[in-house]
């Protein structure tokens, strides 16, 4: 199935992702993790979308500022040459100036194009977050499918979230959610987190039986747990 190319609008100080859906009648602006998106009816034209963003500008800017003020200070400057981990490998960032273009992995580099202005670091960070979330969804779905067949339990649904202090969760109804930031970790660690949550479909606790189940699939799970404890602070953008 082809997924439509994402569409972006420069909101003058922020970049909004446009999500078109036949399911709604009026536009809905969201600011999640400091990133702006606007959900609109399928055929709404760009001029109309821009107008909505202008009307909501104050509200959007205050949401972005709130996110910035409540987030831990990033160690990153979001400039060319900085490296960002993805599945345990480091990729260098390459920033171009110009009309916004989302992050792409090209020849081992994370390439992004953003307009000039003081909001550049925010825009670059948001573009990276979108790239990571998108890849998290694909990779975690893939790994969930693979390990679900090994363990013999299927989750009722799978999603990604922005958890503050956990890597995954499994609800009583069998829905599994993962923290998208886990894909900054090496593959073996991501696999452990996937197996951990899937094993909760069998044991909804951290009992010795639960850990036995995890160990069957990930024999070195203790080392993975330890790695996560020690390196958690590296898994951020
Ligand atoms: Zn658990």
């Amino acid at each position: 199935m082809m997924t439509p190319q994402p569409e972006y609008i420069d909101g003058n100080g922020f970049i909004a992702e446009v999500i078109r859906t036949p399911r709604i009648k009026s536009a809905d602006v969201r600011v999640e993790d400091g990133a702006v998106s606007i959900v609109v009816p399928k055929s709404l034209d760009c001029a109309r979308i821009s107008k909505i963003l202008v009307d909501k500008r104050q509200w959007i800017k205050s949401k972005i500022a709130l996110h910035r003020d409540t987030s831990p200070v990033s160690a990153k400057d979001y400039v060319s040459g900085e490296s960002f981990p993805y599945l345990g490998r480091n990729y260098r960032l390459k920033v171009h100036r110009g009309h916004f273009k989302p992050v792409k992995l090209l020849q081992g580099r994370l390439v992004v194009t953003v307009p000039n202005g003081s909001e550049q670091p925010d825009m670059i960070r948001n573009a990276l977050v979108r790239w990571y979330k998108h890849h998290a969804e694909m990779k975690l779905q893939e790994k969930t499918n693979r390990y679900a067949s090994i363990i013999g339990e299927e989750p009722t649904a799978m999603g990604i979230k922005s958890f503050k202090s956990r890597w995954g969760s499994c609800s009583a109804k069998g829905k599994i959610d993962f923290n998208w930031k886990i894909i900054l970790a090496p593959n073996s660690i991501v696999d452990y987190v996937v197996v951990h949550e899937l094993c909760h479909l069998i044991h909804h606790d951290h009992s010795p039986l639960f850990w036995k189940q995890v160990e069957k699939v990930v024999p070195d799970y203790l080392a993975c747990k330890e790695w996560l404890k020690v390196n958690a602070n590296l898994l951020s953008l």
Side-chain angles (χ1 to χ4, degrees):
M1 193 177 78
M2 282 278 290
T3 44
Q5 277 298 99
E7 196 185 326
Y8 296 94
I9 286 188
D10 189 338
N12 183 21
F14 60 87
I15 300 295
E17 182 177 9
V18 180
I19 300 163
R20 295 183 181 277
T21 165
R23 290 190 301 272
I24 62 161
K25 295 265 178 282
S26 61
D28 183 17
V29 180
R30 298 171 188 167
V31 183
E32 264 174 24
D33 294 327
V36 184
S37 51
I38 177 164
V39 186
V40 296
K42 195 111 192 137
S43 58
L44 197 65
D45 61 76
C46 283
R48 184 83 194 95
I49 298 170
S50 292
K51 168 84 168 72
I52 296 165
L53 292 174
V54 169
D55 291 347
K56 286 217 144 197
R57 187 176 168 76
Q58 279 313 96
W59 178 84
I60 292 168
K61 296 288 272 184
S62 70
K63 283 283 217 180
I64 293 172
L66 180 70
H67 176 259
R68 191 173 40 228
D69 296 346
T70 53
S71 305
V73 176
S74 173
K76 305 279 191 193
D77 296 319
Y78 307 103
V79 292
S80 286
E82 252 179 335
S83 64
F84 292 84
Y86 170 59
L87 293 172
R89 259 194 71 187
N90 282 315
Y91 294 91
R92 285 194 187 282
L93 179 67
K94 177 78 191 150
V95 179
H96 293 298
R97 306 289 172 221
H99 233 49
F100 179 78
K101 280 199 204 110
V103 173
K104 273 212 171 93
L105 185 57
L106 292 172
Q107 291 157 336
R109 282 168 172 232
L110 293 165
V111 182
V112 65
T113 308
V114 289
N116 275 316
S118 59
E119 296 91 351
Q120 263 172 14
D122 265 352
M123 285 184 187
I124 296 168
R125 184 181 178 277
N126 286 338
L128 282 166
V129 168
R130 281 183 174 129
W131 185 86
Y132 275 93
K133 279 184 167 176
H134 176 66
H135 281 74
E137 221 162 337
M138 291 189 318
K139 282 286 162 192
L140 290 162
Q141 185 66 66
E142 217 175 277
K143 287 179 187 291
T144 300
N145 292 346
R146 176 166 17 119
Y147 285 107
S149 67
I150 292 172
I151 292 164
E153 290 285 338
E154 292 272 352
T156 51
M158 193 224 88
I160 57 155
K161 290 230 166 110
S162 301
F163 292 122
K164 283 249 182 293
S165 57
R166 59 197 306 177
W167 299 113
S169 76
C170 177
S171 76
K173 286 183 176 155
K175 176 169 195 267
I176 290 179
D177 286 302
F178 295 106
N179 187 336
W180 59 268
K181 288 181 187 153
I182 193 62
I183 59 153
L184 279 80
N187 257 306
S188 58
I189 305 297
V190 185
D191 288 2
Y192 156 69
V193 170
V194 170
V195 169
H196 180 122
E197 296 311 329
L198 284 169
C199 286
H200 278 316
L201 294 170
I202 306 170
H203 303 285
H204 292 274
D205 52 23
H206 292 118
S207 61
L209 276 175
F210 166 80
W211 291 114
K212 273 259 168 292
Q213 189 70 43
V214 173
E215 191 180 20
K216 274 191 214 162
V217 189
V218 184
D220 64 345
Y221 77 94
L222 282 174
C224 297
K225 268 178 87 176
E226 186 60 22
W227 190 96
L228 272 174
K229 219 192 264 172
V230 175
N231 296 289
N233 63 318
L234 300 179
L235 307 183
S236 69
L237 285 182

